[in-house]
Amino acid sequence: MTLPFTLDWLPDDWRDARLLGRIETADGPTPVLVEGGIVHDMSAVAPTVSALIEAHAFDAGAGRTLGPLEDLAPTLALLSPIDLQCVKAAGVTFALSAVERVIEERARGDAAAAGAIRAALEARVGASIRSVVPGTDAAAALKEALIGEGLWSQYLEVAIGPDAEIFTKSPVLSTVGAGGDIGVRSDSTWNNPEPEVVLVVGPDGRAVGATLGNDVNLRDFEGRSALLLGKAKDNNASCAIGPFIRLFGDDFGMDEVRGAVVELTIDGPEGYRLEGRSAMDQISRDPEELLRQAMSEHHYPDGFVLFLGTLFAPTQDRDEPGRGFTHKVGDVVRIAEPRLGALVNSVRTSAAAPAWTRGIGALMRNLARRGLLN
């Protein structure tokens, strides 16, 4: 079920922001730049968002004016605002998410067993893991203490050790935009959204802006084995990004990312409602440090995006007491931050969500037909 774009998906100060994104037109996917509330078709400047970022071609006057965003909104078909970028994610970057990953591991993916484990583990490591800085001598001492108590875990290693968890979330061009369906595997019985701030990075390794993302996660799969991370994370429609990339400038930069507070609302078809928030000032590693570790010794000729992780891990019971939260088909998920807007999606199974059919080859053929590859 595609949800129609509305102006309340935009940042509070959208008329003053520079927003980069993609829309579906009669010709095909088209990069657009919104400046001063006016939408500009940038396809003649560069055929893809990744190429615009590589060239830093953010001069709206070089594009073709389409009109005021508020006039176009009723018919605007938003796509994910990225195209040829690699999709990377940092995991276990908040203390709460570290504890929840350990719970999944010890419960072997069984949601019914999670409550008792959560209470015991939080009592033993909650305060310590919140106060320690990853990679420091204090973190190493905490590690030794937890090993001695039999509480060590691979998740705690990436939570407080020197190396962050950085993984590839989904294939190039597979991400879903605002309004589209997100998918969870039909054989998953314990899953949740992961609301995150996403850095958008050029091939030079520098962040040019930020957006919102949903790193849809299957807790039962990853809980059974960390080697099932691929099945837990990478499924049809399992990664949503949008609505737009907010470009860095005098009014918005990395400090605003560090201070972002992401709000999550889930409205279920049965009247269920869940609310949560994720404050970026609680992150255990600075976004610039996560960016450095994601770059490592890689090369990203088309740039990449980096999910920064989430504080939010829902434990509120939905149906049976003690089983916590899991998605139902028909859930509407809203991830919002005042400076970045709102990413709104409906939930389907990955099998029932629209198939991903427009890959790199299809995009190149479309751009060639339009004469945009000169």
Side-chain angles (χ1 to χ4, degrees):
M1 177 182 68
T2 300
L3 302 172
F5 171 74
T6 62
L7 293 178
D8 68 357
W9 294 3
L10 297 172
D12 289 349
D13 58 343
W14 62 274
R15 295 181 188 277
D16 300 318
R18 284 199 305 165
L19 305 175
L20 181 61
R22 294 165 70 232
I23 62 172
E24 187 71 63
T25 69
D27 294 325
T30 299
V32 294
L33 184 62
V34 181
E35 189 168 55
I38 305 299
V39 183
H40 305 269
D41 177 344
M42 302 298 289
S43 59
V45 178
T48 63
V49 167
S50 62
L52 281 169
I53 291 172
E54 180 181 8
H56 286 263
F58 304 139
D59 176 10
R64 180 171 63 90
T65 301
L66 298 180
L69 180 54
E70 54 194 336
D71 292 345
L72 298 173
T75 59
L76 204 62
L78 282 187
L79 299 172
S80 168
I82 66 168
D83 39 46
L84 296 180
Q85 295 92 338
C86 292
V87 184
K88 310 292 287 188
V92 200
T93 56
F94 290 82
L96 179 59
S97 63
V99 171
E100 287 299 315
R101 296 295 86 77
V102 176
I103 290 166
E104 290 168 12
E105 180 183 48
R106 291 177 178 258
R108 300 293 183 186
D110 180 3
I117 297 170
R118 181 177 295 108
L121 190 63
E122 181 69 18
R124 300 286 289 278
V125 305
S128 298
I129 200 171
R130 283 176 173 81
S131 62
V132 73
V133 177
T136 62
D137 291 343
L142 175 59
K143 174 180 177 177
E144 291 304 315
L146 293 173
I147 289 173
E149 295 180 34
L151 290 175
W152 192 242
S153 160
Q154 59 199 333
Y155 293 103
L156 294 176
E157 175 63 46
V158 295
I160 66 175
D163 297 307
E165 178 192 20
I166 306 290
F167 60 94
T168 300
K169 166 64 180 179
S170 62
V172 170
L173 284 173
S174 68
T175 58
V176 175
D181 289 337
I182 52 173
V184 297
R185 285 179 62 110
S186 55
D187 53 355
S188 172
T189 59
W190 188 20
N191 48 70
N192 61 250
E194 292 192 356
E196 306 189 21
V197 175
V198 182
L199 292 181
V200 182
V201 187
D204 59 0
R206 297 181 182 181
V208 300
T211 185
L212 296 170
N214 188 347
D215 177 16
V216 182
N217 185 45
L218 309 184
R219 302 190 69 180
D220 45 1
F221 276 72
E222 187 178 358
R224 293 206 308 272
S225 171
L227 296 180
L228 292 174
L229 181 68
K231 284 193 173 182
K233 292 290 190 179
D234 183 6
N235 299 288
N236 182 44
S238 67
C239 183
I241 297 178
F244 291 94
I245 300 163
R246 181 159 189 165
L247 294 172
F248 287 168
D250 293 339
D251 63 334
F252 182 79
M254 195 64 79
D255 283 343
E256 282 67 37
V257 169
R258 294 183 177 104
V261 177
V262 179
E263 303 280 352
L264 172 73
T265 305
I266 302 172
D267 287 302
E270 80 280 34
Y272 174 88
R273 186 177 178 86
L274 183 147
E275 297 178 344
R277 66 201 305 269
S278 184
M280 285 293 294
D281 64 5
Q282 299 298 304
I283 200 167
S284 59
R285 302 180 197 264
D286 187 76
E288 290 282 9
E289 169 61 13
L290 292 172
L291 178 54
R292 184 191 68 79
Q293 293 210 28
M295 277 297 296
S296 185
E297 297 178 1
H298 279 295
H299 299 281
Y300 296 99
D302 296 301
F304 66 98
V305 298
L306 178 62
F307 281 69
L308 294 177
T310 186
L311 174 66
F312 183 74
T315 59
Q316 174 183 319
D317 290 335
R318 183 166 195 172
D319 292 316
E320 301 176 35
R323 289 194 63 86
F325 171 85
T326 195
H327 270 308
K328 291 185 178 182
V329 170
D331 282 349
V332 174
V333 181
R334 180 184 176 91
I335 297 168
E337 204 285 329
R339 306 295 296 275
L340 294 173
L343 174 62
V344 185
N345 301 96
S346 54
V347 175
R348 295 290 178 268
T349 65
S350 291
W356 171 42
T357 58
R358 184 184 284 157
I360 297 172
L363 176 62
M364 293 301 109
R365 288 190 293 272
N366 174 270
L367 297 178
R369 285 195 301 268
R370 295 159 66 183
L372 297 176
L373 295 182
N374 296 329

